[in-house]
Amino acid sequence: MAGGWSRDGAVQDQIDDTVSDAVAAARSRLPRGESAEYCDICGEDIPEKRRLAVPGVRTCVECQSGRDSAVRHSSYNRRGSKDSQLR
Ligand SMILES: [Zn+2]
């Protein structure tokens, strides 16, 4: 009786592992967080079309493009390293 009980427990563990793996896989496919109603940066309304088109969006188009170009140019990093070299 005791042996049968422990075998059931092992099978249940395997099932739990499989289920949690499937849940984790399904979650990783979903967008992270909900789309914001208002831009995180300037507070402007984010159009519903944009929120649907970009799941998990946090900023309006203008702030998003501003952030993108800031990352591309990375002027902050360059300025910072020049300052530290002068000192
Ligand atoms: Zn904005």
Side-chain angles (χ1 to χ4, degrees):
M1 248 341 201
W5 175 253
S6 71
R7 211 186 305 144
D8 284 353
V11 170
Q12 188 58 50
D13 281 354
Q14 283 182 349
I15 291 169
D16 284 350
D17 281 353
T18 309
V19 169
S20 57
D21 280 359
V23 170
R27 272 198 194 138
S28 69
R29 261 180 260 126
L30 293 172
R32 299 227 173 119
E34 291 188 19
S35 303
E37 259 182 81
Y38 304 100
C39 174
D40 266 3
I41 296 172
C42 69
E44 288 260 349
D45 290 13
I46 298 174
E48 196 178 349
K49 269 189 198 171
R50 174 165 166 77
R51 291 196 282 139
L52 292 175
V54 190
V57 66
R58 307 297 308 176
T59 62
C60 68
V61 179
E62 282 172 41
C63 291
Q64 180 68 59
S65 60
R67 284 207 305 192
D68 285 352
S69 62
V71 168
R72 231 173 270 139
H73 298 311
S74 68
S75 54
Y76 286 116
N77 284 342
R78 240 175 268 158
R79 221 175 282 153
S81 60
K82 255 186 207 164
D83 276 355
S84 57
Q85 277 172 4
L86 286 171
R87 272 170 205 163

